[in-house]
Amino acid sequence: MLDKESGIFSAIVEAPFGAVGIRSEGPYISELVYLPARFKEKAPVDKLAEQAAKQVDAYLNNPDYQFTLPLKEAGTAFQGRVWQAISSIPRGQVLTYGQIAKHLRSAPRAVGQACGANWYPLVIPCHRVTAAGGIGGFAHNDDETGFHLGVKRWLLAHEGVAGYDRTQDALWK
């Protein structure tokens, strides 16, 4: 079953929190996906997937790394505005769903939905968006002890956001 699941990816990069699946489509990256540790590394099937895998690995080793991948156009016009706002959040900082919503003259829930619909996590750093009173959800998941919020915690700690110490998180015990 796992081989079938892995088959949809053009490459899989191992990560401290599990893995990152990469899908390439012609001249574009069409999706990046956070995957649990049961997914093992997969060699890139084409040059673009190889480029993407190298860039994902570079980010995992250096949170200041800047992606330069050709991304396939995705999402609605509103989602695009949210993703553009998210992309402007500097490494090491977070904004709340409400702050982005106010900037876009929208609602926090709509911003959260757009974050969850992000096809390009890491490149569009939706992990830098939190709830006013805590970490918030991530990738349409809000289970406090679940995989996706563990990924979000790891990414925030990796980027040096105060209050996200990897050594205290159950994911690393």
Side-chain angles (χ1 to χ4, degrees), residues 8 15 17 28 35 62 68 91 99-101 107-108 145 153 173:
I8 68 168
F17 50 77
Y28 300 106
L35 301 169
N62 175 6
T68 59
R91 184 208 44 89
Q99 288 171 313
I100 292 175
T145 60
R153 284 186 192 92
K173 289 184 180 178

Side-chain angles (χ1 to χ4, degrees), residues 7-128:
I8 68 168
F9 297 106
S10 305
I12 298 176
V13 177
E14 288 185 8
F17 50 77
V20 177
I22 299 165
R23 294 180 68 194
S24 59
E25 189 176 312
Y28 300 106
I29 295 300
S30 59
E31 187 175 23
L32 297 174
V33 180
Y34 296 122
L35 301 169
R38 65 186 173 88
F39 284 83
K40 299 304 175 203
E41 195 162 33
K42 176 181 176 180
V45 299
D46 58 41
K47 290 283 186 194
L48 182 56
E50 181 179 3
Q51 177 187 1
K54 285 179 181 176
Q55 289 190 30
V56 166
D57 191 53
Y59 167 80
L60 293 171
N61 287 298
N62 175 6
D64 289 318
Y65 183 81
Q66 299 291 308
F67 288 92
T68 59
L69 295 171
L71 304 177
K72 183 177 177 184
E73 199 169 309
T76 66
F78 173 74
Q79 288 170 337
R81 290 196 327 270
V82 171
W83 298 339
Q84 186 174 21
I86 291 167
S87 294
S88 71
I89 303 170
R91 184 208 44 89
Q93 297 180 29
V94 296
L95 290 176
T96 66
Y97 300 104
Q99 288 171 313
I100 292 175
K102 184 175 180 181
H103 172 73
L104 296 176
R105 295 188 175 118
S106 182
R109 186 173 300 246
V111 169
Q113 290 298 315
C115 287
N118 178 4
W119 288 81
Y120 308 108
L122 295 184
V123 178
I124 300 171
C126 51
H127 57 275
R128 296 179 188 160

